[in-house]
Amino acid sequence: MELKAIAAGVLLASATTMAAAQEQTNGPLETVTIIGTKQDVDKLAGSGEVITDEDLARFQYTDIQRVLGQVPGVYTRTEEGYGLRPNISIRGTYGDRSGKITLMEDGVLIAPAPYTASSAYYFPTMGRITGVEVLKGPAAIEHGPYTVGGAINLISTPIPDEAGGEVTAEAGENETYRLHALYGGSTEHWGFLLEGHTHSSDGFSSIDYTNNGTGFQKDDLMAKLRYNTGSDANVYQQVELKLGYSEEESEQTYVGLTEAHFDESPYRRYGMSREDIMENEHKSVTLTHVAEFSERTSLTTTAYYNEFQRNWYKVDKIDGEGIDDVITCANGGSCDGLTSDYGEYNPGFANAVLNGTAEADVYLKNNNREYESKGIQTRLATAFNTGDWNHELAFGARYHEDEEGRNQPVDLYFQGDDGSFELVDLGTGSDSLRQSEALSVYLTDSIAYGAWTLTPGLRYEDYTIRNADHEELLPGLGVTYDINDSWQLLAGVHEGHSPSASEDSDPETATNFEAGFRYRGSASSLDLIGFYSDYDNIIGVCTNSGAVNGDCEPGDTENGGKAEVKGLELAAAYTIALASGQIPLQASYAYTNAEFKSSFEGSIWGNVENGDKLPNLPENQLALSAGLYLDNGFGSDLSLRYFDETCSTAACGDFQEIDEFYTLDLAVHYSFNSQTRVYINVDNLTDNDGDIISREPKAGARGQKPRTLMAGVRFRF
C-alpha cells in the first residue's frame, strides 16, 4: 500500500500546483455539500434531491427514513420504528443496513468501515442534521465506492455568521423527550459552534413477563472551530476542525412475531428478548482546509478519523436453531431439522417456546465489534473557457483505510415453562480482525455549449479488502439540453460498482441508464425520469439481520449473477398563493420492476429462479403532502406515504409476504415571531397498526410505530 500512498501524495501535489496557477481573488466557499442548493439540482448530470433545513422543520423528523419518504427512487425498510439503524436502497440496491449506497456526513464517508463492513450500524443523529442531499445517476461516480444506486450526504449544523444559538425541546407519548441546543458565532478570522442533542423514549412495545423498556437513549455532542484569512488576503483560506461524539443504548431485538401473534398484538415482544440491548459509542475528528485561489478555482482537502464500538447483545438461537426457523415452524411451516432437549418441534411446541410456556435453551450473542475508518481526500474545482465552450472541471482523490474487529462470545440462558429466564453459562469468543485500504480518483468536466451541457466522468478504484485486490475503472456521461428557461431534457449512462468485502464473490457491477425531463415554473416544478440498471453481477452481503438462512458468516458476500432493475420516478410540486399565505403541494411516485436474471441457491438470497423479484422492493411507492402557511405565523402540514406489497425473499414463500400499507403524519405549528415557535406533530395519525411492513431481521412479522404525539418549542436567540 506504500505505492498507493505515494500516488495519493502525487495527486494532491498535482492538484495544488494546478490550483496555484490560477488567477487569485477572494471569496468564501461551501465545503460540505455534494449538490448545493435546490437550484443546483438543475445543473446535475444526473438526478438528485436537496432537502433543506426549512424542509426538515416542517415535521421535525428524527427518522431519516421518514425524511426520505418524499424522494422517488429511494426505498426504506422500517425495523424498530425510530430509524436508529436505517435500511435504505436507491434504485433497487440491496437495502439491508444501507450497505450498498455511499453514506456521507459533510462529504465524508460515515459507515463504520465503508469497505470492510459497510453495514450502517452507526447513523448520524438525524435531529441535529440541517440538510440532506440525494444523488443518483452519472453524477454519483464522484462519490464512491458505492455508485450503482447513488449517494446520500447529511449536512451538519454550520458555524453561524453571527453570535447566536437555538434550543429545541419536545416531549410526547411513551415518555419520549428530545432536547437540542447549540450556540456559536463568527468574527473576522474565527468561528465556533457547540452543539448537543439528547433523545430518549421508553418505547411502544411490551415484553412478556417483564416491565423492561423497549426504547432508547441517544446522546450526541459536536464542536466546530474555524480559522480563516481576512478579506484582504491574496488567497482566501480556512481551516475547520470538527469533533463529534455520540453514545446510544437501545433495548432493541432481532426477534419478531409469528403471524398469529402479530394479529393478536403487533406491539408484543417475546419474553426471551428481555435482555436484548444495543450499546454503542462513536467518535470522529475531521480537519478541513480550503483554499480559494479565485472565484473559479478552489481546493478542499479533508483528513478524517472515525471510531465506532458497538455491542448488540441479543437472542441468536433457540435450542441451537435459528430464530427464523423456529418462527417458521410456529407459523405452520417446515419444522424439519429442529431439535430440542425439552420436546419435539412442531407448530404447537414452537409457539409454546416463543410464548415462554415451554422450556428451552436460548443463546444470546455479544455482537461486539470495533471499527476504525480514516483517510484523506482532496477536491480541486476550477472553471475556464475554451472559445464558446464553458468548462467546470472537478478532480478528486482519496486514500482510505478501515477495519473491523470482532469478539463475539455466546451466553446460554435457560427459559422455564413459567416464562422465567436465567443465565446458565457465560461463553467465550475468539478475536478476528478484517482490514481494507483503498485509493480512489475521479475526474469530471461539465462542458456547456449553448443549450447543451455534457458531463463526462471517470472514476478509478484500487482497493484491498481482506487480502483480496480489486481494480475498477468506471466511466460515465451525463447530458442535459435546455429547451427553454423552463424545460430541460436529461440523459445519462454510467458504470456502477460496489466493492466485494470478501474473496467469495466478485465486485458488483452494473451499467446504469437514465433519461427524462425537468420543468421549472414560477410556482410549480416537475421531474419525470426513467432509469434502467443492467447488473452483470449483483452481490448479496451476509448480515445477522438480512440473510435468508444462517449458513454464512456476517460480512461475507455471494454472487447473484445477472439482474435488471428498471423504473420511473416522478416528482411534482405546486404552490397556491393566498392573500395572506400559501398552500404548498407535493407529490412523488416511483414505479420499480426489479428481477433476477439468473437462477442459483445461496445463503443470502435463498433459492432464486430466473425472473424472481428482488426482495423488499415495492413495485409502487407514492408520497403526497400538503401544507397551509399563513402570514400570521400559523402553519400545518399533512404527509401521506403509500407502499405497495412486496416480499422479504426472492422465492416469496408462505409467511414471507409484506403487506401494502400507508402512513399519515400531521404537523401543526405557530410562530410567535422569528425567534419562538411551538409545534405539535402526530406520526401515524390514523393509528394504522394491522399491516406487516417488514419481516426482517430474522423473518418475524413487524409493524409500524403506532400513533405518536409530540409537542415542542424552538427558541432562537
Side-chain angles (χ1 to χ4, degrees):
M1 184 50 70
E2 290 184 2
L3 184 60
K4 293 183 180 180
I6 294 172
V10 171
L11 291 168
L12 179 58
S14 300
T16 305
T17 302
M18 291 171 64
Q22 303 297 320
E23 178 186 1
Q24 296 178 351
T25 62
N26 301 314
L29 186 70
E30 179 62 66
T31 64
V32 300
T33 63
I34 63 174
I35 298 177
T37 65
K38 286 183 178 289
Q39 290 71 33
D40 291 329
V41 171
D42 302 342
K43 303 175 185 178
L44 288 177
S47 51
E49 180 83 16
V50 172
I51 301 171
T52 66
D53 190 27
E54 185 179 64
D55 297 328
L56 294 174
R58 295 172 62 188
F59 288 93
Q60 294 286 336
Y61 284 141
T62 56
D63 182 347
I64 182 63
Q65 297 172 132
R66 274 181 145 85
V67 171
L68 295 173
Q70 291 283 343
V71 183
V74 177
Y75 317 92
T76 61
R77 190 189 78 228
T78 298
E79 185 171 317
E80 81 296 304
Y82 297 109
L84 299 173
R85 279 158 289 280
N87 301 284
I88 306 170
S89 165
I90 298 178
R91 290 184 172 175
T93 56
Y94 187 61
D96 192 62
R97 292 285 179 263
S98 311
K100 286 291 192 69
I101 59 177
T102 299
L103 291 173
M104 296 174 283
E105 180 177 329
D106 296 337
V108 173
L109 298 174
I110 60 167
Y115 284 83
T116 305
S118 63
S119 296
Y121 285 91
Y122 165 77
F123 199 86
T125 302
M126 192 61 220
R128 65 168 177 82
I129 295 299
T130 63
V132 181
E133 300 172 297
V134 181
L135 194 59
K136 299 172 281 186
I141 67 171
E142 286 194 17
H143 306 285
Y146 300 89
T147 59
V148 175
I152 293 177
N153 183 42
L154 307 177
I155 302 170
S156 66
T157 305
I159 296 174
D161 295 332
E162 299 179 354
E166 179 179 317
V167 176
T168 300
E170 64 180 42
E173 296 181 85
N174 303 313
E175 301 296 322
T176 302
Y177 73 86
R178 183 171 76 94
L179 180 64
H180 180 209
L182 60 94
Y183 182 79
S186 297
T187 63
E188 182 181 359
H189 293 291
W190 293 93
F192 77 97
L193 173 72
L194 299 175
E195 183 175 23
H197 186 281
T198 183
H199 194 189
S200 177
S201 176
D202 281 354
F204 53 82
S205 299
S206 59
I207 306 177
D208 297 348
Y209 305 107
T210 180
N211 292 322
N212 289 6
T214 60
F216 67 94
Q217 170 75 47
K218 187 172 184 180
D219 300 307
D220 197 300
L221 297 171
M222 189 182 72
K224 290 184 178 182
L225 180 65
R226 185 190 67 229
Y227 171 78
N228 57 269
T229 57
S231 58
D232 57 345
N234 291 329
V235 176
Y236 174 84
Q237 297 186 71
Q238 68 182 44
V239 178
E240 183 172 296
L241 175 66
K242 173 186 171 185
L243 304 174
Y245 175 83
S246 71
E247 59 184 21
E248 175 196 325
E249 185 176 285
S250 52
E251 298 155 315
Q252 302 301 318
T253 184
Y254 270 20
V255 183
L257 296 170
T258 68
E259 203 93 355
H261 294 154
F262 180 87
D263 291 340
E264 292 171 0
S265 177
Y267 305 125
R268 173 192 177 189
R269 271 179 47 180
Y270 299 128
M272 65 178 62
S273 72
R274 71 189 73 181
E275 301 294 334
D276 289 12
I277 188 168
M278 156 70 92
E279 296 177 306
N280 65 54
E281 181 182 65
H282 183 265
K283 303 173 185 176
S284 66
V285 180
T286 303
L287 183 65
T288 300
H289 172 261
V290 181
E292 189 176 62
F293 298 92
S294 74
E295 292 181 354
R296 310 188 77 184
T297 302
S298 62
L299 178 70
T300 304
T301 304
T302 301
Y304 57 91
Y305 178 82
N306 293 288
E307 283 184 3
F308 181 58
Q309 188 279 329
R310 58 96 163 180
N311 185 14
W312 198 338
Y313 188 62
K314 59 185 185 295
V315 175
D316 181 54
K317 293 183 182 297
I318 304 169
D319 289 325
E321 311 295 343
I323 303 168
D324 46 352
D325 294 326
V326 175
I327 291 177
T328 297
C329 176
N331 275 329
S334 173
C335 302
D336 294 345
L338 299 182
T339 60
S340 171
D341 292 336
Y342 310 104
E344 181 179 349
Y345 264 103
N346 53 48
F349 180 72
N351 271 287
V353 167
L354 295 173
N355 285 327
T357 57
E359 296 178 337
D361 290 330
V362 182
Y363 297 84
L364 273 70
K365 185 176 184 180
N366 291 271
N367 283 271
N368 185 26
R369 304 177 192 176
E370 295 184 357
Y371 303 86
E372 183 181 275
S373 172
K374 57 188 176 182
I376 184 169
Q377 62 189 38
T378 187
R379 185 180 193 271
L380 169 70
T382 185
F384 58 92
N385 300 329
T386 54
D388 294 332
W389 299 81
N390 301 319
H391 297 260
E392 294 183 7
L393 187 71
F395 169 83
R398 179 179 64 221
Y399 174 71
H400 175 92
E401 295 179 358
D402 63 48
E403 65 182 35
E404 177 198 50
R406 300 183 181 189
N407 186 329
Q408 303 184 132
V410 179
D411 299 337
L412 172 62
Y413 284 76
F414 174 73
Q415 173 183 274
D417 57 12
D418 58 353
S420 58
F421 204 63
E422 297 180 0
L423 177 63
V424 175
D425 182 53
L426 289 173
T428 58
S430 59
D431 295 334
S432 66
L433 181 65
R434 304 176 178 186
Q435 297 176 309
S436 300
E437 46 192 8
L439 174 67
S440 55
V441 180
Y442 68 83
L443 180 67
T444 63
D445 189 9
S446 181
I447 308 167
Y449 178 80
W452 291 91
T453 301
L454 282 74
T455 307
L458 193 65
R459 183 177 189 84
Y460 171 72
E461 288 274 354
D462 182 6
Y463 57 89
T464 301
I465 304 178
R466 296 164 63 180
N467 299 318
D469 298 325
H470 296 283
E471 270 187 288
E472 299 290 338
L473 191 61
L474 307 165
L477 175 64
V479 180
T480 63
Y481 176 75
D482 297 329
I483 300 173
N484 52 40
D485 291 341
S486 298
W487 291 90
Q488 182 187 73
L489 301 177
L490 73 151
V493 58
H494 77 282
E495 287 293 326
H497 163 262
S498 295
S500 171
S502 71
E503 299 177 355
D504 301 326
S505 68
D506 300 322
E508 183 172 86
T509 54
T511 304
N512 305 277
F513 304 87
E514 70 171 7
F517 66 83
R518 300 183 179 114
Y519 168 79
R520 299 292 183 265
S522 59
S524 59
S525 65
L526 177 65
D527 293 64
L528 182 64
I529 298 173
F531 66 91
Y532 173 71
S533 296
D534 184 10
Y535 285 83
D536 293 319
N537 177 43
I538 190 170
I539 61 173
V541 181
C542 181
T543 63
N544 285 322
S545 61
V548 171
N549 61 57
D551 298 333
C552 61
E553 180 69 19
D556 288 348
T557 56
E558 68 180 20
N559 296 321
K562 294 185 177 296
E564 289 183 357
V565 181
K566 53 191 173 184
L568 187 69
E569 300 168 355
L570 169 69
Y574 181 69
T575 300
I576 302 172
L578 303 176
S580 57
Q582 60 179 1
I583 300 175
L585 305 172
Q586 287 182 284
S588 68
Y589 168 75
Y591 167 78
T592 307
N593 187 334
E595 296 182 351
F596 289 98
K597 292 301 179 183
S598 57
S599 301
F600 60 95
E601 182 177 347
S603 299
I604 298 168
W605 301 108
N607 296 326
V608 176
E609 297 293 334
N610 189 339
D612 282 351
K613 299 290 187 181
L614 269 66
N616 293 306
L617 287 175
E619 191 171 89
N620 297 285
Q621 188 168 309
L622 175 69
L624 302 172
S625 71
L628 173 63
Y629 304 153
L630 301 179
D631 296 342
N632 63 8
F634 173 83
S636 65
D637 289 278
L638 195 64
S639 174
L640 171 70
R641 291 173 295 133
Y642 166 81
F643 302 85
D644 206 354
E645 62 185 10
T646 182
C647 270
S648 61
T649 67
C652 199
D654 293 337
F655 311 113
Q656 294 173 350
E657 303 92 343
I658 296 172
D659 297 331
E660 63 174 346
F661 70 97
Y662 74 90
T663 183
L664 185 68
D665 297 340
L666 173 68
V668 180
H669 72 265
Y670 180 76
S671 298
F672 293 94
N673 48 47
S674 60
Q675 294 177 301
T676 306
R677 173 176 177 169
V678 294
Y679 59 88
I680 296 175
N681 297 336
V682 185
D683 291 349
N684 192 8
L685 181 65
T686 59
D687 204 22
N688 182 25
D689 64 359
D691 300 317
I692 297 173
I693 70 168
S694 175
R695 291 188 183 272
E696 293 179 80
K698 299 300 183 187
R702 296 171 183 265
Q704 62 176 306
K705 182 175 68 173
R707 181 171 53 225
T708 305
L709 184 146
M710 298 291 295
V713 58
R714 185 187 69 190
F715 178 68
R716 291 174 172 168
F717 57 93

